[in-house]
């Protein structure tokens, strides 16, 4: 996020924002060097670390932060989370203000996770499934379970207990997939 605080007024002077697509378009405006004919009407921003960033008045700011400012008039102290976890999807209904802890909970399952469920893994020597959750940097052991569904249920119940927000729970997705068979 930028060091200098851009205002909603300044943002709306230089960019148009489409609430449904999340895309910013440069407006035609007069710069100190003349008109910005080269940029007017073009999509604003470029990719940096998977996110779209836009440079306004020399300050680089994430497009999802600018979308929030454009619509709500302020930059939140907390994070702005992408509900669908796709960093370039900046339409306003896909964005939500979230604490750092909540934002971290809305991550994809790790690529080295063999169970497909965050916080659940097979303890082969015991023939059981282990469930755990991290809260404030501490590992909380939820138990050993004979079935994967029981471990997933324990994990999901812990998510509901320990976190104020649960958006994309891999345990809930697994539970739903089993129940819908």
């Amino acid at each position: 996020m930028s060091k200098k605080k851009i205002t909603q007024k300044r943002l709306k002077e230089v960019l148009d924002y489409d609430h449904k697509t999340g895309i910013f378009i440069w407006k035609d405006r007069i710069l100190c060097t003349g008109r910005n004919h080269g940029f007017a009407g073009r999509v604003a921003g470029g990719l940096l670390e998977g996110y779209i960033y836009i440079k306004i008045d020399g300050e680089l700011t994430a497009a999802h932060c600018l979308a929030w400012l454009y619509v709500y008039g302020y930059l939140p102290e907390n994070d702005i989370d992408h509900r669908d976890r796709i960093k370039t999807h900046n339409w306003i209904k896909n964005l939500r203000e979230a604490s750092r802890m909540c934002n971290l909970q809305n991550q994809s399952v790790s690529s080295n996770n063999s169970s497909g469920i965050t916080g659940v893994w097979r303890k082969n020597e015991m023939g059981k499934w282990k469930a755990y959750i991290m809260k404030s940097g501490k590992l909380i052991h939820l138990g050993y379970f004979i079935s994967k569904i029981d471990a997933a249920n324990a994990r999901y119940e812990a998510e509901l207990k320990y976190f104020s927000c649960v958006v994309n729970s891999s345990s809930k997705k697994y539970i739903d997939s089993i129940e819908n068979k």
Side-chain angles (χ1 to χ4, degrees):
M1 199 177 326
S2 66
K3 295 172 187 88
K4 212 181 345 175
K5 294 254 182 171
I6 185 170
T7 64
Q8 183 187 48
K9 179 182 177 199
R10 178 65 179 145
L11 178 59
K12 289 184 174 187
E13 286 173 357
V14 297
L15 291 168
D16 282 319
Y17 171 68
D18 186 321
H19 295 69
K20 291 180 181 172
T21 65
I23 295 173
F24 284 93
I25 304 291
W26 289 110
K27 288 183 174 181
D28 188 21
R29 66 193 192 286
I30 297 174
L31 302 171
C32 56
T33 57
R35 298 187 82 74
N36 71 332
H37 293 297
F39 294 102
R42 289 190 177 182
V43 174
L47 283 178
L48 179 64
E49 298 178 358
Y51 292 95
I52 297 171
Y53 278 83
I54 301 171
K55 195 174 212 175
I56 301 171
D57 298 332
E59 293 294 324
L60 200 59
T61 307
H64 57 278
C65 295
L66 293 175
W68 196 270
L69 175 63
Y70 198 97
V71 173
Y72 298 114
Y74 70 97
L75 290 170
E77 290 182 25
N78 288 315
D79 290 353
I80 297 173
D81 184 35
H82 293 82
R83 293 177 192 272
D84 69 358
R85 297 189 310 247
I86 300 173
K87 297 175 180 182
T88 57
H89 288 181
N90 294 318
W91 51 87
I92 201 65
K93 286 188 177 182
N94 191 47
L95 304 176
R96 67 184 176 129
E97 188 173 355
S99 67
R100 172 59 51 148
M101 183 62 72
C102 184
N103 196 357
L104 291 172
Q105 290 305 308
N106 190 25
Q107 292 183 356
S108 299
V109 176
S110 172
S111 62
N112 63 359
N113 180 312
S114 59
S115 73
I117 305 168
T118 300
V120 172
W121 62 284
R122 178 90 171 149
K123 189 101 169 147
N124 287 331
E125 62 272 11
M126 294 177 70
K128 293 186 177 181
W129 292 90
K130 179 179 179 176
Y132 66 93
I133 196 163
M134 293 288 289
K135 174 68 175 163
S136 303
K138 293 185 179 185
L139 182 85
I140 300 169
H141 176 73
L142 302 173
Y144 292 103
F145 303 89
I146 293 171
S147 70
K148 186 175 177 180
I149 189 75
D150 289 340
N153 275 314
R155 169 64 193 210
Y156 185 60
E157 287 173 15
E159 289 171 358
L160 295 174
K161 176 181 177 181
Y162 293 113
F163 303 118
S164 61
C165 61
V166 180
V167 177
N168 287 307
S169 168
S170 57
S171 54
K172 178 67 170 144
K173 286 179 184 173
Y174 179 75
I175 294 163
D176 289 346
S177 75
I178 297 299
E179 289 176 354
N180 293 329
K181 282 187 176 180

